[in-house]
Amino acid sequence: MTGLLSTASRALEEMVDSTADWAVELLRRTAAEMSHALDRDAMRDVEGAEEWRDVKSKENRYAG
């Protein structure tokens, strides 16, 4: 292609590439944030669970 159509085609390709790069980065960042949130919530749930509150330390548990 030559002329204006060729220029428009290249511009469209660049726009598609940059949009795809942006979308991939956004998906990766969102996945990382979700993973950290799940880990944080699981840790909070386990540490805050009723049965874990009264567990004695290992040293006191086996003291004689």
Side-chain angles (χ1 to χ4, degrees), residues 16-62:
V16 168
D17 285 345
S18 63
T19 302
D21 291 344
W22 171 80
V24 167
E25 177 60 30
L26 183 62
L27 287 170
R28 286 181 178 152
R29 191 173 345 130
T30 302
E33 290 172 1
M34 289 174 68
S35 173
H36 294 311
L38 285 171
D39 288 345
R40 183 189 62 238
D41 291 348
M43 187 183 327
R44 184 194 64 223
D45 291 346
V46 167
E47 290 176 354
E50 196 68 34
E51 64 270 12
W52 287 87
R53 291 183 181 172
D54 296 327
V55 175
K56 295 180 170 69
S57 69
K58 190 163 90 173
E59 295 81 27
N60 293 335
R61 194 177 330 144
Y62 298 113

Side-chain angles (χ1 to χ4, degrees), residues 1-16:
M1 277 188 249
T2 59
L4 293 176
L5 190 54
S6 176
T7 302
S9 177
R10 281 193 297 266
L12 182 60
E13 286 178 20
E14 289 176 14
M15 184 186 74
V16 168

